[in-house]
């Protein structure tokens, strides 16, 4: 008898109910039926969390649309998802949500040879398998731990969304390598509300196939992965529509369950659908921001996603996510929210949360996966003047960071050779060991979130002068503290004290000039207050 694990009814989605301290697993139907009582999806992996939201959104788009802003408003005002509509849809496609169905296993390709199977650990970037570096996990390729079906299902969904390019198993005549998913280099953004219901509805874009939409395809021609009859192939193609994109099968995968009750230790993983050259992915993807490269080579997509990188917090790219200026493509979900705010469907003073999920890679190696959150007052979606000041705040931090780098360099140079003849490689190594820049940027995370939240509230008062002053003070304090720590590390000898005396005044003076100008202490900043 074939094993079964049907995601419609079996618990597999980790959620945190409002008022409960611990998470629990629920079925797909329960997660949507109870979405208004659930605080959030609560998987520890940012990649799993992002991918599961995309799956739930695909189900909701299939059931509810919404075709118009009024349809969206009716859903928002209802405050919960009507269980009858959900139940009817999920009952119709129930067999397609079975993880081990012999004909249509969920998110998989039937018929892949078991001889191509590899460790189930390769479904998760967090595991030490293949080319992945050993970061947090200590499993090994030759001794993988089997997964419960619930965990295997979550990893399966995440792998389809965030498959990293590189060598894969293949059938005769196929390429030995596959491209990465289009989300791999992107920070996947999600607008979060007070409940899972609010979060999901806030991220439902208008879906009606009308001309001019980024995904201008009739819903009748657009199918999610579980409604498709043809198996996934190793082929280049464009998405048929938005639901196809949300459930994009970037890999052919087949899980091989063992035992009773079933567990999964092995899976076949092969190349799946890939975007052909010139697909204009930013035109399709609604949950990522893009910036345009002006120096892009010919026949290379000039639009690159806003993403994560080691040592750089995402808040430094806030402008790229929120800007409507030429050369920037903010996420479609934010543009749709701006429209709904214009029509009065959302409160003017509402503060939401902008969560971003993703990873950073170099070719096939994964260096980090991350989740970051920023406050999102809706005023930023309406008034670009606010976004410009936000960008200027980041530029101030960047400029002070450059002064810190040069100041610490002069400090290290004077400490090593007061006559100015220090070897530059030794100076650079000493600067690196002092760690001033990482300490500086780490100190600014919380102050920037506070500044981002406060600026719209006080903007009417001289373009938010109090918020600008608070940010200026935070930047100056972080820079001074980072420089002082570097001084303390070197000021153990007379030479170190003399180096601090030589490098300090110029550094402190340059920092004061930058932050005072932004705060309006020396040069008043005049901004037009939005109506």
């Amino acid at each position: 008898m074939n094993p079964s694990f049907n995601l419609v009814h079996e618990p597999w989605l980790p959620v945190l109910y409002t008022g409960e301290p611990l998470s629990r697993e629920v079925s797909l139907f329960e997660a949507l039926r109870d979405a208004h009582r659930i605080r959030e999806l609560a998987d520890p992996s940012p990649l799993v969390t992002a991918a599961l939201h995309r799956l739930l959104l695909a189900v909701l788009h299939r059931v509810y649309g919404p075709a118009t802003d009024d349809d969206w408003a009716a859903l928002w005002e209802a405050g919960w998802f009507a269980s009858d509509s959900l139940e009817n849809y999920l009952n119709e496609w129930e067999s397609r949500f079975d993880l081990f169905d012999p004909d249509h296993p969920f998110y998989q390709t039937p018929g892949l040879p078991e001889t191509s199977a590899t460790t189930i650990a390769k479904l998760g970037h967090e595991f030490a398998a293949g080319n992945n570096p050993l970061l947090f996990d200590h499993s090994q390729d030759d001794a993988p731990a089997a997964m419960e079906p619930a965990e295997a299902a979550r990893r399966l969904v995440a792998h389809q969304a965030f498959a990293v390019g590189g060598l894969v198993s293949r059938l005769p005549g196929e390429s030995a390598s596959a491209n990465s998913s289009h989300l791999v280099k992107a920070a996947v953004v999600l607008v979060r509300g007070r409940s899972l219901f609010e979060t999901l509805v806030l991220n439902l874009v208008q879906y009606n196939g009308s001309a001019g939409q980024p995904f201008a395809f009739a819903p009748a021609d657009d199918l999610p992965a579980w409604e498709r009859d043809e198996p996934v192939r190793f082929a280049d193609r464009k998405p048929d529509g938005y639901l196809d994109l949300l459930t994009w099968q970037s890999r052919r995968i087949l899980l091989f369950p063992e035992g009773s009750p079933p567990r999964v230790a092995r899976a076949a993983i092969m190349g799946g659908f890939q975007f052909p050259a010139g697909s204009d992915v930013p035109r399709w993807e609604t949950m990522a921001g893009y910036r345009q490269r002006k120096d892009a080579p010919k026949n290379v997509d000039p639009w690159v996603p806003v993403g994560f990188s080691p040592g750089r917090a995402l808040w430094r790219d806030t402008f790229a996510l929120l800007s409507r200026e030429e050369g920037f493509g903010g996420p479609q979900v934010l543009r749709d929210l701006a429209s709904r705010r214009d029509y009065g469907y959302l409160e003017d003073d509402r503060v939401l949360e902008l969560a971003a999920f993703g990873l950073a890679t170099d070719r096939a190696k994964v260096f980090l996966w991350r989740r970051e959150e920023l406050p999102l007052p809706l005023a930023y979606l309406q008034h670009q003047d606010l976004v410009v000041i936000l960008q200027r705040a980041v530029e101030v931090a960047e400029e002070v960071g450059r002064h810190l780098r040069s100041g610490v360099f002069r400090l290290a140079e004077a400490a090593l050779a007061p006559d100015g003849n220090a070897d530059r490689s030794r100076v650079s190594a000493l600067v690196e060991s002092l760690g001033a820049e990482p300490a500086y940027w780490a100190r600014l995370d919380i102050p920037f979130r506070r500044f981002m939240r406060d600026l719209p509230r006080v903007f009417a008062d001289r373009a938010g002068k109090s918020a600008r002053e608070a940010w200026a003070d935070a930047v100056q304090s972080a820079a001074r503290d980072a420089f002082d720590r570097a001084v303390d590390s070197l000021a153990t000898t007379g030479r170190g004290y003399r180096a601090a005396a030589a490098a300090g005044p110029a550094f402190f003076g340059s920092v004061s000039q930058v932050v005072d100008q932004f705060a309006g202490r020396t040069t008043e900043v005049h901004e037009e207050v939005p109506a």
Side-chain angles (χ1 to χ4, degrees):
M1 182 175 178
N2 289 325
S4 175
F5 190 84
N6 196 293
L7 305 182
V8 172
H9 307 297
E10 296 286 352
W12 69 290
L13 292 169
V15 300
L16 185 64
Y17 275 80
T18 302
E20 293 188 3
L22 300 176
S23 64
R24 51 173 149 144
E25 292 181 359
V26 298
S27 68
L28 177 60
F29 175 68
E30 288 174 311
L32 294 174
R33 181 198 65 192
D34 295 348
H36 57 293
R37 300 197 297 117
I38 293 172
R39 176 68 185 93
E40 62 180 340
L41 287 174
D43 195 275
S45 166
L47 309 185
V48 170
T49 300
L52 293 182
H53 278 96
R54 291 172 72 89
L55 170 65
L56 295 181
L57 287 170
V59 173
L60 294 174
H61 275 299
R62 198 63 170 139
V63 176
Y64 298 106
T68 66
D69 281 335
D70 286 342
D71 291 339
W72 182 91
L75 191 59
W76 176 257
E77 291 168 1
W80 61 295
F81 298 120
S83 58
D84 288 348
S85 300
L86 279 172
E87 202 165 9
N88 291 338
Y89 177 78
L90 293 176
N91 284 342
E92 179 182 359
W93 295 100
E94 180 181 18
S95 66
R96 301 293 182 93
F97 285 90
D98 195 318
L99 200 61
F100 304 127
D101 186 86
D103 299 316
H104 296 281
F106 176 78
Y107 257 47
Q108 299 164 74
T109 302
L112 298 184
E114 191 167 358
T115 54
S116 299
T118 184
T119 168
I120 192 70
K122 288 193 176 179
L123 280 186
H125 297 310
E126 298 90 334
F127 301 118
N131 204 34
N132 284 356
L134 185 64
L135 295 179
F136 302 114
D137 181 75
H138 294 275
S139 61
Q140 299 296 325
D141 286 342
D142 57 355
M147 291 183 185
E148 299 291 342
E151 183 180 4
R154 296 192 295 269
R155 298 293 174 180
L156 172 67
V157 175
H159 194 86
Q160 292 288 19
F162 293 98
V164 175
L167 297 176
V168 292
S169 300
R170 57 182 175 137
L171 299 178
E174 294 180 345
S175 172
S177 63
N179 294 339
S180 61
S181 161
H182 74 286
L183 296 177
V184 161
K185 293 187 179 298
V188 179
V189 301
L190 192 73
V191 181
R192 294 189 63 225
R194 300 185 185 101
S195 66
L196 179 60
F197 169 82
E198 285 197 357
T199 296
L200 291 171
V201 177
L202 287 168
N203 290 276
L204 286 174
V205 295
Q206 191 176 110
Y207 178 67
N208 58 23
S210 62
Q213 281 192 296
F215 31 86
F217 292 81
D221 299 330
D222 181 24
L223 298 174
W226 54 83
E227 290 190 32
R228 295 178 175 273
D229 292 324
E230 293 186 3
V232 177
R233 294 172 287 111
F234 195 170
D236 290 354
R237 75 173 182 88
K238 293 183 178 181
D240 293 331
Y242 189 45
L243 303 187
D244 188 14
L245 181 71
L246 285 175
T247 61
W248 188 249
Q249 304 290 280
S250 61
R251 293 292 183 267
R252 290 168 296 167
I253 301 175
L254 185 60
L255 306 178
F256 294 100
E258 303 171 356
S260 180
R263 290 168 61 85
V264 184
R266 299 162 67 244
I269 305 173
M270 301 183 178
F273 294 134
Q274 302 185 127
F275 286 98
S279 295
D280 194 14
V281 174
R283 181 172 169 269
W284 293 82
E285 182 52 54
T286 68
M287 299 174 70
Y290 293 83
R291 56 164 62 89
Q292 190 174 26
R293 291 192 305 171
K294 295 181 180 179
D295 58 346
K298 189 177 181 180
N299 299 324
V300 173
D301 191 345
W303 292 93
V304 294
V306 178
F308 294 102
S309 60
R312 181 183 175 88
L314 190 66
W315 61 261
R316 294 164 68 179
D317 291 310
T318 307
F319 183 73
L321 294 174
L322 300 180
S323 177
R324 299 180 195 171
E325 290 187 7
E326 184 179 354
F328 295 94
Q332 178 70 31
V333 293
L334 298 185
R335 294 196 292 271
D336 274 32
L337 278 185
S339 170
R340 288 155 187 167
R341 182 185 180 275
D342 289 347
Y343 285 110
Y345 297 132
L346 296 168
E347 310 96 301
D348 285 350
D349 58 351
R350 182 75 185 268
V351 178
L352 300 170
E353 189 175 80
L354 187 64
F357 311 81
L359 67 165
T361 66
D362 181 11
R363 298 181 182 179
K365 290 186 177 181
V366 177
F367 289 106
L368 64 85
W369 39 92
R370 183 180 291 168
R371 169 178 177 165
E372 292 191 31
E373 296 171 353
L374 292 168
L376 183 64
L378 289 178
Y380 286 112
L381 305 183
Q382 185 69 21
H383 302 299
Q384 283 293 290
D385 290 345
L386 289 170
V387 179
V388 170
I389 295 180
L390 209 60
Q391 172 63 3
R392 179 57 189 144
V394 174
E395 290 172 349
V396 165
E398 300 277 4
E399 188 174 354
V400 169
R402 289 191 292 272
H403 286 303
L404 174 63
R405 182 164 55 252
S406 60
V408 173
F409 189 92
R410 286 193 297 270
L411 176 70
E413 189 175 42
L416 289 174
D419 58 4
N421 293 322
D423 179 73
R424 291 187 67 86
S425 62
R426 290 185 62 207
V427 175
S428 297
L430 179 56
V431 170
E432 187 74 17
S433 70
L434 294 173
E437 284 188 86
Y440 165 72
W441 287 112
R443 280 277 303 273
L444 293 179
D445 274 0
I446 293 177
F448 185 81
R449 285 161 173 73
R450 187 180 301 120
F451 172 73
M452 193 171 178
R453 178 181 289 271
D454 291 345
L455 179 62
R457 180 174 53 82
V458 300
F459 191 81
D461 180 15
R462 292 187 292 172
K465 191 172 187 298
S466 61
R468 287 188 284 119
E469 287 180 332
W471 174 246
D473 290 342
V475 171
Q476 186 170 38
S477 176
R480 285 175 174 268
D481 185 66
F483 187 84
D484 288 343
R485 286 174 180 269
V487 169
D488 290 344
S489 298
L490 297 177
T492 57
T493 64
R495 178 182 291 185
Y497 283 111
R498 288 191 293 272
F507 166 72
F508 292 126
S510 59
V511 169
S512 294
Q513 183 176 5
V514 173
V515 299
D516 285 347
Q517 183 175 2
F518 177 74
R521 295 183 182 122
T522 57
T523 304
E524 188 66 30
V525 178
H526 297 284
E527 309 283 355
E528 182 180 349
V529 178

